[in-house]
Amino acid sequence: MLAKRIIPCLDIDRGRVVKGVKFENVQDAGDPVEVARRYDAQGADELVFLDITASSDDRPTLFQTVEAVAREIYIPLTVGGGVRSCADVKCLLAAGADKVSINTAAVHNPDFVTEAGDRYGVQCIVVAIDAKRVSKKNEPLRWEVFTHGGRKATGLNAVEWAANMVRRGAGELLVTSMDRDGTKEGYDVELLAAINREVNVPVIASGGVGTLEHLYQGLATGHADAALAASIFHKGTHTVGEAKQYLQSRGIRVRT
Amino acid sequence: MKKVGVIDYGMGNLHSLAKALERVAPDQRVIVSYDAEELLDCDRLVLPGVGGVRECMKELQRLELSQLVLEASRKVPMLGICLGMQVMLEFSEENGGVPALGLFPGEVVRFPDPAPDAAERLKVPHMGWNRVKQEKSHPVWAGVPDESWFYFVHSYFARPRDPTHVLGSSEYTQLFASAVARDNLVAFQFHPEKSQALGLTLLANFVNWNP
């Protein structure tokens, strides 16, 4: 039977892996090929690269990075950050990405998701949704979609937006809680469960992992198909292998 | 120098497949091409594919590659991957029903959508890592333990009519054929080029296979 996936996420800035809290205090954390190889050896099921390079002049550096990693690593690779056009999708796929993640551009132009899905196959189109809780206490839970790293509100209801994106051709959703991102308090499992109820494509949980228990909660309570995490793996708190052993002991099916 | 031809009919990304083949066949030339003549000259062929079956068959016919595949299928070792496996059957119900190459008797059908109230919703596409049970012995399985994990992305699956053609099976909503083989043909529903070391082992076994 299908296994739940564990996905380390790497922030990439001008060809280097970096780490920082909410894109501040960014520190160099190594060569992407080296880091990717390490996670591959630990048993990562996929890798996500998020390009946080501010300037679009540095795009060729990203393509080189993707190419170098794809030459070495034979597991699926998703690349996101600044994907705005079918030309971007094409370049990333040609460089060796297996999937691309579309975020802000999907909000600005939802047809782009349809077009990219039609042209390259929905299996390689991941739509990333950054959501924040906006309901008040005692109100039914509601989340809003934000762009630009959580700074810009869009007025879109995140659960409705998720269903809309799937109708338009998203093959997978990467759901990040902006309330939890960087907090180590755990995923917003209610957000994950609410979106999971509405869609039939895989959902990747993201934002807030501080412990292995959090991974379990996202997969078991949030019903996510995959759990993405950054800092617990980067800081060496846990290896991917340890995470899988823990999840297996809690009854979650993982690839071992 | 021996040549491995990857049939490029413009559907999807052949980059990782070509890279993986180059890695496992350093002593062979890997050619990615849509030129039938050039492909016919290869010692073995790989038929990859992602996307929809209608577009795939249309492009194979437009580029006169379906003839090539049929002709080569009688001569050289050939490997189908993902949609490349599905078009090796007779018919796919995708896109309203499309006749395919018919190298294996049988058809291709869609996974059922998950019931809304099911305890575990088995989503479509079937995306991620699943185990493959080896249903018969074959040179491509050399060094690959039974029930190993491979990476899948698909919404349709093959139902070969001849049970002896089933090389491997996996479970998702039901038991389905995740690999088929006969004579000089072998095909995987999963992506060996995305399945880490064991995927590369399968490709290495294919490029060294002399049926």
Side-chain angles (χ1 to χ4, degrees), chain A residues 1-3 40 45-46 74-76 93-95 97-99 123 172 196 199-201 225 253-255, chain B residues 13 15 19-20 23 114 120-121 123-124 126-130 149 151 153 171-172 193-196 200:
Chain A
M1 280 297 290
L2 189 66
D40 178 52
D45 296 308
E46 294 189 30
Y74 293 93
I75 57 174
L93 294 178
D98 297 288
K99 311 180 202 178
Q123 81 291 331
E172 197 170 19
N196 187 67
V199 300
N200 276 343
V201 302
D225 300 277
R253 203 164 37 235
V254 290
R255 177 178 71 110
Chain B
N13 174 17
H15 177 98
K19 283 276 181 302
R23 176 143 162 176
E120 186 184 16
R121 291 172 62 225
K123 295 171 177 177
V124 184
H126 170 224
M127 181 188 279
W129 296 78
N130 204 335
W149 296 92
Y151 187 81
V153 190
E171 205 190 324
Y172 195 68
E193 77 281 14
K194 285 290 136 197
S195 299
Q196 241 189 347
L200 295 183

Side-chain angles (χ1 to χ4, degrees), chain B residues 60-198:
Chain B
L60 281 175
Q61 275 148 10
R62 187 177 68 83
L63 297 162
E64 294 176 1
L65 291 171
S66 46
Q67 269 314 309
L68 158 91
V69 172
L70 293 176
E71 196 180 331
S73 72
R74 291 188 289 268
K75 295 178 181 160
V76 296
M78 192 183 293
L79 167 64
I81 297 175
C82 196
L83 186 63
M85 163 170 165
Q86 296 182 4
V87 296
M88 286 186 171
L89 281 96
E90 292 170 310
F91 178 84
S92 171
E93 68 173 26
E94 191 181 4
N95 305 132
V98 176
L101 298 170
L103 296 174
F104 291 91
E107 58 193 359
V108 175
V109 297
R110 196 174 198 274
F111 285 116
D113 276 321
D117 51 351
E120 186 184 16
R121 291 172 62 225
L122 300 173
K123 295 171 177 177
V124 184
H126 170 224
M127 181 188 279
W129 296 78
N130 204 335
R131 291 181 187 272
V132 176
K133 183 174 177 345
Q134 298 174 13
E135 297 288 354
K136 59 177 184 183
S137 60
H138 193 285
V140 294
W141 291 137
V144 179
D146 195 15
E147 301 275 356
S148 289
W149 296 92
F150 293 96
Y151 187 81
F152 289 82
V153 190
H154 62 125
S155 301
Y156 292 78
F157 64 94
R159 262 201 320 224
R161 202 149 48 235
D162 184 342
T164 68
H165 288 164
V166 178
L167 177 64
S169 62
S170 301
E171 205 190 324
Y172 195 68
T173 74
Q174 57 206 284
L175 204 64
F176 71 94
S178 47
V180 292
R182 68 163 176 88
D183 307 312
N184 54 320
L185 306 177
V186 58
F188 305 132
Q189 179 59 65
F190 52 86
H191 289 270
E193 77 281 14
K194 285 290 136 197
S195 299
Q196 241 189 347
L198 288 177

Side-chain angles (χ1 to χ4, degrees), chain A residues 40-94:
Chain A
D40 178 52
Q42 290 178 6
D45 296 308
E46 294 189 30
L47 292 174
V48 168
F49 276 25
L50 189 61
D51 181 40
I52 63 163
T53 307
S55 160
S56 55
D57 299 346
D58 288 318
R59 284 309 262 189
T61 318
L62 175 69
F63 299 145
Q64 280 165 18
T65 301
V66 172
E67 211 164 340
V69 171
R71 212 171 12 242
E72 293 277 327
I73 308 295
Y74 293 93
I75 57 174
L77 175 63
T78 300
V79 183
V83 178
R84 293 188 186 88
S85 65
C86 278
D88 290 337
V89 176
K90 191 179 176 183
C91 286
L92 286 170
L93 294 178

